[in-house]
Amino acid sequence: MPVVATVKTDWFRVINDITRNGIPLQEIARELDVSKSAIIGWKQGAAPNHHTGEALIDFWCYVTKRQRTELPVQVSSRRFVYAWRNRHA
């Protein structure tokens, strides 16, 4: 029986990767046209809205020179998937 994992973007690691490349939080905020406190909130567990999150991912790819497939994620849930077989065939 296979296990399906649901993942979500690890915004803390995304932002830390950017700052480790020498870009301060204020510059990230300016690039995304949000407040520095919004960036801090995302590091603390909040999530950006969709279009801002996409922009942050694009910025992360540009700064880190990594592909989107390498985006830091965390598993938010795991569940078993049962295969139903046609028992009346």
Side-chain angles (χ1 to χ4, degrees):
M1 128 180 61
V3 175
V4 173
T6 303
V7 297
K8 62 181 183 174
T9 303
D10 188 339
W11 298 113
F12 177 85
R13 287 177 47 204
V14 167
I15 294 165
N16 273 354
D17 285 352
I18 295 170
T19 58
R20 282 190 200 130
N21 278 279
I23 300 174
L25 293 179
Q26 187 61 44
E27 183 61 30
I28 298 170
R30 191 173 315 130
E31 180 70 26
L32 299 175
D33 196 27
V34 298
S35 66
K36 181 179 173 182
S37 62
I39 303 293
I40 293 168
W42 301 338
K43 282 186 72 172
Q44 294 175 341
N49 63 36
H50 181 77
H51 76 274
T52 305
E54 288 292 328
L56 182 54
I57 291 168
D58 288 344
F59 191 55
W60 176 85
C61 290
Y62 174 77
V63 169
T64 64
K65 297 177 178 36
R66 296 168 73 186
Q67 298 296 313
R68 186 185 181 104
T69 56
E70 300 174 83
L71 188 67
V73 296
Q74 53 186 314
V75 175
S76 61
S77 69
R78 288 185 176 95
R79 63 185 175 91
F80 291 103
V81 177
Y82 299 95
W84 291 94
R85 296 202 173 133
N86 189 353
R87 296 179 185 222
H88 301 290

